[in-house]
Amino acid sequence: MSQTIGKTRLAYSRAWHHVSLASPSTPSLGRLASRIAVLLQGKHKPIWDPSTDCGDYVVATGCNDMLVTGKKKEQKLYYKQTTRPGALKSMNMESMMRKWGGGEVLKRAVRGMLPKNRLRDKRLDRLKVFEGEAHPYKTNLIKFGGRTRRIEPEVKTEVLKQMSI
């Protein structure tokens, strides 16, 4: 039997998912980043293979309202090195959100949860982050019955189960 059964062009088509961080039921940064990483890799699809890139697009809006627990905004540090001796720079999460916005914090969290291989940058390019609720990808989002379907955290596991059946 051939192993290519079911791996058609339709199976590899990329869907667009919308995640709103402004809703009150949104999980904290780490839990949300791991769920986004699963969608970007395509692990929710039955045709998933580690060596192929079959993931979907994810549009994250409302990144300025991101939820972090504890004192991470003041204590979590992000590092940057310019390869010169003594040039290690550090910045806490609060100042990074002020300078570059919450989208950069979300991208760094998702980047750390993706596999460290040649597909990581391509997968991360499919994550679109926006500070407010407005974004230019409204026509690309998944529609059911003429309405845009937002993937909320509680619904997300049910949607993943339905997709794998």
Side-chain angles (χ1 to χ4, degrees):
M1 182 176 250
S2 175
Q3 293 181 353
T4 59
I5 292 177
K7 294 188 176 184
T8 62
R9 188 176 298 180
L10 181 62
Y12 281 102
S13 65
R14 300 189 193 280
W16 287 72
H17 303 277
H18 182 232
V19 178
S20 177
L21 280 72
S23 70
S25 62
T26 303
S28 61
L29 174 63
R31 293 177 187 270
L32 181 68
S34 65
R35 292 175 183 169
I36 290 174
V38 166
L39 292 173
L40 291 175
Q41 293 176 68
K43 280 190 165 184
H44 62 287
K45 295 182 177 183
I47 59 157
W48 180 77
D49 182 46
S51 62
T52 59
D53 193 13
C54 59
D56 294 337
Y57 287 90
V58 177
V59 178
T61 57
C63 291
N64 52 356
D65 299 328
M66 189 180 322
L67 173 69
V68 289
T69 58
K71 296 181 181 179
K72 288 188 189 80
K73 283 195 178 179
E74 297 86 24
Q75 293 179 351
K76 177 151 179 58
L77 296 176
Y78 294 96
Y79 296 100
K80 180 175 67 169
Q81 174 61 270
T82 62
T83 68
R84 306 223 6 138
L88 180 66
K89 307 286 184 194
S90 64
M91 180 183 296
N92 64 0
M93 186 185 288
E94 191 174 30
S95 59
M96 180 176 276
M97 287 181 81
R98 256 188 281 112
K99 188 173 183 179
W100 290 313
E104 181 65 24
V105 174
L106 180 64
K107 275 193 170 189
R108 287 193 184 205
V110 171
R111 181 179 175 83
M113 294 189 184
L114 289 172
K116 281 70 174 174
N117 58 20
R118 62 190 176 138
L119 297 174
R120 178 162 70 165
D121 290 333
K122 292 178 185 177
R123 289 172 174 159
L124 201 61
D125 286 341
R126 289 197 304 269
L127 174 62
K128 314 295 183 186
V129 293
F130 298 97
E131 298 300 314
E133 288 296 318
H135 61 89
Y137 302 108
K138 291 181 180 166
T139 57
N140 299 346
L141 296 176
I142 299 173
K143 294 189 185 292
F144 293 103
R147 295 180 57 211
T148 302
R149 174 92 183 250
R150 286 188 178 193
I151 298 182
E152 297 296 328
E154 293 81 26
V155 178
K156 198 176 290 184
T157 56
E158 295 172 8
V159 170
L160 293 177
K161 287 178 187 175
Q162 290 173 358
M163 288 182 177
S164 65
I165 292 177

